[in-house]
Amino acid sequence: MIALLKSSDSVFDKQFDTLLQRGSMDIKDVENRTRELLESIKSHGLQAVIAQISQFDSWNPQNFEDLRIPQTKMRNAYEKLEKNLRDSLERAYERIYAFHQKQKPKTWLDFEKNGSILGQKVTPIERAGLYIPGGKAAYPSSLLMNAIPAIVAGVKEIVVCTPTPHNQTNELLLAALHICQIQEAYKIGGASAIGSLAFGLNPYFKKVDVITGPGNIYVATAKKLVFGEVNIDMIAGPSEIGILHDGMMDNADYVAWDLLSQAEHDEMASSILITTNESFAKRVAERIESLVESLPRFAIASKSIDERGMIIVAKNLKEGIALMNEIAPEHLELLVQNPLEVLGEIKHAGAIFIGENTPEPIGDYIAGPNHTLPTGGSARFFSPLSTEHFMKKSSVIVFSRQGIAELGEACGILAHTEGLDAHKNAVLERLKDKN
């Protein structure tokens, strides 16, 4: 049964604080083990990866070629897709591509009146590593969401790693790899994949520059540990949804299904409704209990709802907004009157879905914006995966004779103040030549 609380309840503050801590991952138990796995890969390369796959994925690769996913296998999987499924994947690709194309930052130069030039040069990352989870389920949509921004950014080398328990590759994921024209893909999962991407597997493949993609606590911990060796997108935890409701919509089934859409992801997923209508809150709770039994992933969804679900009855919409901003959810649905006014008051959310015709799953698959989003309250400082994660920026500085004459003396004063006289002299020497 999903927890149903009023913000005025005496136990509310304690239970709400527990909700705010949902993103806290107790990595102490796994950090040492993850570090051992990474160090083994760094020291022993392919030998360590093969041993780890044998231990965790229940199959025994004999050599590097056993780990490679051939492009012919990707193409064959694509060609075997039913037409409606193939068309759906292609349409998703087109919409995701179009959205991320609009995000692409540009090189710019600003020409000052004195002839100096200041600007920014944007360059694609050369080699990107994408981690696509497997195990409990396979997610071709995650491949599209991670690969397409890299493609739009202009990354030339894209490497995909995905776990294949019992050496079984998912046909839909293979088809998605073909759609994205991925040339390098490997059957490596978990922390082993993160280590392989971060350090490279010499002489088989070189390290990447950035690693993106979600995963379990071992993947998240590994990404945290290799940050600095390479860049990463974010450290993402279990999926979550927050729904803010003020009574404008009276369809409890809509909201119940939207909450369950996150609960079926993972036992640790969080499904949260904040409403100003107590009667509606009770009806949603009742519909969740009824609808969850119909789900193929009933065991996962019901555990998520029982342990991580919450319905909060707020005193008014202002309080509801404030509570939701504290939660900073990965997905936020606004089912309110005048949503564009409320939108301005939302400070923290990974993705915002407005109106009763915009269920969160539309964003998971086909709307266009990225579904790789900050979780566990990290929307306070992280942004969704974008083309910019696969690009880097360099400052461009060109000073004219007049430009250095105008600013050189001030620069020298600042350098001398910091005790860096070689800095000062490097500038003042040029001023001598201008006199």
Side-chain angles (χ1 to χ4, degrees):
M1 175 72 72
I2 191 167
L4 199 161
L5 297 170
K6 295 181 184 179
S7 62
S8 57
D9 289 345
S10 60
V11 297
F12 176 75
D13 288 344
K14 182 178 181 180
Q15 295 205 24
F16 188 70
D17 185 63
T18 298
L19 175 63
L20 296 181
Q21 301 304 315
R22 71 197 182 284
S24 300
M25 291 187 293
D26 186 5
I27 66 172
K28 294 178 182 177
D29 291 339
V30 303
E31 185 169 358
N32 288 339
R33 180 59 178 142
T34 303
R35 195 184 302 276
E36 290 173 3
L37 295 172
L38 294 175
E39 289 298 328
S40 181
I41 292 171
K42 194 171 186 179
S43 299
H44 305 291
L46 179 62
Q47 178 185 348
V49 171
I50 287 176
Q52 291 171 20
I53 290 173
S54 178
Q55 179 181 0
F56 299 117
D57 281 351
S58 303
W59 68 285
N60 298 296
Q62 300 301 306
N63 51 48
F64 179 71
E65 286 304 312
D66 285 350
L67 302 180
R68 190 189 298 273
I69 302 176
Q71 287 182 276
T72 53
K73 198 168 183 179
M74 302 175 197
R75 184 178 65 251
N76 290 340
Y78 173 79
E79 291 173 350
K80 291 177 182 177
L81 287 179
E82 294 182 4
K83 184 179 184 303
N84 62 347
L85 180 52
R86 184 171 63 247
D87 291 347
S88 296
L89 284 170
E90 295 281 6
R91 190 171 187 186
Y93 183 100
E94 292 168 3
R95 291 185 62 84
I96 297 165
Y97 189 99
F99 179 87
H100 288 83
Q101 183 72 33
K102 294 174 184 177
Q103 291 183 327
K104 191 174 181 179
K106 297 179 180 179
T107 293
W108 58 270
L109 296 174
D110 181 26
F111 294 83
E112 298 186 346
K113 291 181 180 179
N114 62 17
S116 298
I117 304 170
L118 301 178
Q120 178 176 274
K121 181 181 181 296
V122 179
T123 308
I125 293 293
E126 290 188 7
R127 187 169 170 83
L130 315 182
Y131 184 81
I132 309 302
K136 290 182 180 178
Y139 299 104
S141 59
S142 290
L143 187 279
L144 297 181
M145 292 290 182
N146 280 266
I148 292 171
I151 293 168
V152 170
V155 178
K156 298 301 183 185
E157 300 176 15
I158 300 174
V159 188
V160 173
C161 283
T162 186
T164 55
H166 305 286
N167 198 20
Q168 297 298 309
T169 48
N170 181 272
E171 293 298 304
L172 278 178
L173 179 57
L174 291 174
L177 288 166
H178 176 76
I179 291 172
C180 295
Q181 299 182 7
I182 300 298
Q183 297 182 24
E184 273 191 86
Y186 303 103
K187 296 181 283 188
I188 312 174
S192 308
I194 304 305
S196 299
L197 293 169
F199 306 131
L201 285 181
N202 292 326
Y204 307 101
F205 68 76
K206 59 183 179 180
K207 65 178 290 185
V208 301
D209 301 305
V210 62
I211 299 173
T212 72
N216 62 20
I217 191 169
Y218 287 93
V219 171
T221 303
K223 286 172 71 176
K224 184 176 182 179
L225 292 173
V226 301
F227 177 61
E229 182 78 29
V230 296
N231 197 10
I232 61 172
D233 52 350
M234 64 189 81
I235 301 172
S239 188
E240 58 193 36
I241 186 171
I243 301 178
L244 185 62
H245 174 268
D246 69 349
M248 71 156 269
M249 187 195 76
D250 197 41
N251 193 320
D253 277 16
Y254 281 9
V255 174
W257 279 123
D258 291 357
L259 293 169
L260 287 170
S261 72
Q262 296 308 296
E264 70 178 352
H265 268 296
D266 190 291
E267 294 93 338
M268 299 292 287
S270 298
S271 301
I272 305 148
L273 166 64
I274 299 179
T275 179
T276 57
N277 188 319
E278 184 176 355
S279 174
F280 184 77
K282 291 177 180 178
R283 279 186 284 130
V284 170
E286 291 169 358
R287 294 305 293 149
I288 288 173
E289 288 302 305
S290 174
L291 296 172
V292 71
E293 295 179 0
S294 68
L295 294 175
R297 294 167 69 86
F298 163 76
I300 292 172
S302 60
K303 185 174 181 180
S304 168
I305 288 294
D306 290 346
E307 297 182 1
R308 312 272 287 193
M310 184 175 291
I311 298 177
I312 298 170
V313 181
K315 299 185 187 78
N316 49 50
L317 183 58
K318 182 178 180 180
E319 182 185 60
I321 292 170
L323 292 173
M324 197 61 82
N325 276 327
E326 285 193 68
I327 293 169
E330 177 189 15
H331 308 98
L332 170 60
E333 290 187 8
L334 292 182
L335 302 179
V336 298
Q337 297 179 49
N338 304 318
L340 294 183
E341 292 181 12
V342 173
L343 181 63
E345 299 181 53
I346 299 300
K347 298 177 182 178
H348 313 297
I352 304 169
F353 302 77
I354 298 176
E356 64 180 1
N357 296 314
T358 318
E360 183 279 329
I362 203 76
D364 279 347
Y365 295 104
I366 207 165
N370 209 285
H371 80 195
T372 303
L373 302 167
T375 64
S378 63
R380 298 183 69 88
F381 46 85
F382 276 134
S383 301
L385 186 69
S386 72
T387 55
E388 292 197 36
H389 283 93
F390 298 97
M391 307 186 83
K392 55 190 179 69
K393 300 165 187 173
S394 302
S395 299
V396 177
I397 304 169
V398 182
F399 260 49
S400 64
R401 289 175 63 90
Q402 182 181 344
I404 198 166
E406 291 176 356
L407 295 177
E409 184 176 347
C411 180
I413 291 171
L414 294 173
H416 179 72
T417 300
E418 294 189 350
L420 300 174
D421 277 10
H423 282 63
K424 177 192 73 175
N425 293 333
V427 175
L428 298 186
E429 191 66 24
R430 286 165 169 78
L431 296 184
K432 291 178 183 177
D433 294 340
K434 305 299 180 273
N435 296 329

